């Protein structure tokens, strides 16, 4: 855990934001599971005009359940842009907790209440694969090496102790998210997740990790790409160097 201990208000209403791109085989199942696991939460599907018709399926789900909402965007613009749009919608609607959640079945709705409980004493709770008790199911060794290695790189470069800074299963307090200027984040792929963690830590906010059971998708295709990995490597290196330079400059003055 990072940050300082201080009194926090009640959590407020929960919005689960689910970015989708070509998730037609997953979107109904994940929204049904979420509605059962967290009946008081509302869901927002943020679809980037998926060619496979995911947006139409989401519209049908929303038409039969007032707790499901859909934000349609004109085209694929990356995970970061989808979340910024989703956060904006949820903050405008007055939700007190904003949850990030993948549509592909990797995150388990039944584990969300545990993240929400931990958020009572934190500003950001990360559902972590790489803390004791965290597990990963059905991942090839290559994916595990990429994730573990990537997170080690992040810890060393940025000097932070978070074990799973790239994780996409999280719960944020609305006022904390607003205070760090999330809308200025330009990172696109899972670097968006690292960017937000770093902003929280640098702002002195409390970040807690709770172990989760991550399950590799069984339907649809991953959007992970070389460009997404390259973006993270490059940006993290830049932040690491800048952070060290500013600490050095601070020491000299
Ligand atoms: N709206 C929107 N959603 C996206 C975009 N890219 C990915 N997503 C969604 O974000 C979630 C995570 O993407 P995944 O393809 O599972 O990527 P990942 O989890 O990093 O990679 P895997 O571990 O291989 O699954 C899924 O629900 C995707 O449909 C995008 O550009 N726009
Ligand atoms: Mg995934």
């Amino acid at each position: 855990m990072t940050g300082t201990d201080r009194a926090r208000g009640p959590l407020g209403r929960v919005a689960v934001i689910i970015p989708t791109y070509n998730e037609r085989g997953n979107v109904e199942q994940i929204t049904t599971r979420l509605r059962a696991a967290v009946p008081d939460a509302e869901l927002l599907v943020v679809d980037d005009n998926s060619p496979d018709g995911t947006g139409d399926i989401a519209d049908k789900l929303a038409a039969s359940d007032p707790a499901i909402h859909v934000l349609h965007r004109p085209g694929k613009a990356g995970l970061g842009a989808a979340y910024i749009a989703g956060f904006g919608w949820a903050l405008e609607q007055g939700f007190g907790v904003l949850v990030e959640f993948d549509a592909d079945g990797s995150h388990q709705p039944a584990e969300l209440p545990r993240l929400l409980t931990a958020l009572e004493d934190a500003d950001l709770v990360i559902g972590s694969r790489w803390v004791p008790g965290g597990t990963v199911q059905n991942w090839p060794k290559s994916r595990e090496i990429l994730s573990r290695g990537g997170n080690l790189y992040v810890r060393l470069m940025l000097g932070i102790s978070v074990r799973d800074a790239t994780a996409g299963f999280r719960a944020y307090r609305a006022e904390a998210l607003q205070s760090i200027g999330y809308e200025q984040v330009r990172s696109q792929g899972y670097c968006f997740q690292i960017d937000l963690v770093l902003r929280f830590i640098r702002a002195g906010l409390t970040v807690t990790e709770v172990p989760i059971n991550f399950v590799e998708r069984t339907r649809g295709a991953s959007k992970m790409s070389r460009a997404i990995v390259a973006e993270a490597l490059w940006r993290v290196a830049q932040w690491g160097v800048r952070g060290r330079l500013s600490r050095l400059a601070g020491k000299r003055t």
Side-chain angles (χ1 to χ4, degrees):
M1 185 160 98
T2 68
T4 47
D5 228 11
R6 60 185 164 79
R8 289 178 182 79
L11 291 176
R13 292 189 303 135
V14 177
V16 182
I17 301 163
I18 311 158
T20 56
Y21 191 76
N22 288 347
E23 301 286 3
R24 65 170 302 143
N26 292 314
V27 68
E28 181 164 6
Q29 197 180 56
I30 206 63
T31 52
T32 305
R33 289 175 64 197
L34 277 162
R35 292 288 289 129
V38 279
D40 292 337
E42 297 196 30
L43 315 183
L44 175 69
V45 175
V46 184
D47 186 68
D48 277 4
N49 202 10
S50 297
D52 75 348
T54 303
D56 299 334
I57 300 172
D59 280 340
K60 287 198 185 99
L61 295 166
S64 61
D65 183 345
I68 301 180
H69 312 271
V70 189
L71 195 60
H72 293 279
R73 292 164 44 77
K76 185 162 170 34
L79 193 71
Y83 269 126
I84 289 175
F87 290 161
W89 178 91
L91 291 169
E92 226 166 69
Q93 304 279 322
F95 286 94
V97 176
L98 281 60
V99 174
E100 290 185 1
F101 206 91
D102 284 0
D104 60 1
S106 289
H107 304 147
Q108 306 313 303
E111 296 188 322
L112 178 51
R114 234 170 359 96
L115 268 71
L116 297 176
T117 302
L119 195 64
E120 285 168 12
D121 301 309
D123 299 300
L124 162 58
V125 175
I126 299 177
S128 177
R129 296 160 289 192
W130 309 126
V131 293
T135 60
V136 169
Q137 265 178 48
N138 302 335
W139 250 11
K141 201 73 197 162
S142 57
R143 276 308 300 269
E144 179 170 343
I145 291 168
L146 183 65
S147 181
R148 280 185 186 276
N151 274 292
L152 180 63
Y153 174 76
V154 167
R155 280 202 302 284
L156 294 176
M157 279 302 223
L158 303 180
I160 62 175
S161 58
V162 171
R163 311 295 300 183
D164 198 351
T166 57
F169 183 10
R170 300 163 167 216
Y172 298 90
R173 279 186 180 256
E175 70 274 12
L177 198 52
Q178 270 167 316
S179 76
I180 54 110
Y182 74 88
E183 66 279 22
Q184 285 141 30
V185 173
R186 290 289 165 264
S187 309
Q188 285 302 314
Y190 64 74
C191 188
F192 177 77
Q193 312 291 14
I194 308 169
D195 202 329
L196 284 182
V197 171
L198 187 61
R199 284 170 194 249
F200 267 66
I201 292 173
R202 290 197 174 153
L205 295 164
T206 298
V207 180
T208 306
E209 289 181 275
V210 301
I212 58 152
N213 176 26
F214 180 98
V215 184
E216 172 62 332
R217 65 160 78 234
T218 53
R219 289 189 192 155
S222 169
K223 276 98 222 170
M224 170 75 85
S225 65
R226 275 190 198 169
I228 284 175
V229 177
E231 180 199 32
L233 286 174
W234 173 237
R235 282 186 181 256
V236 168
Q238 281 182 310
W239 296 329
V241 169
R242 270 194 221 136
R244 282 191 182 89
L245 286 177
S246 63
R247 278 195 294 278
L248 272 176
K251 268 183 204 151
R252 264 191 228 120
T253 53

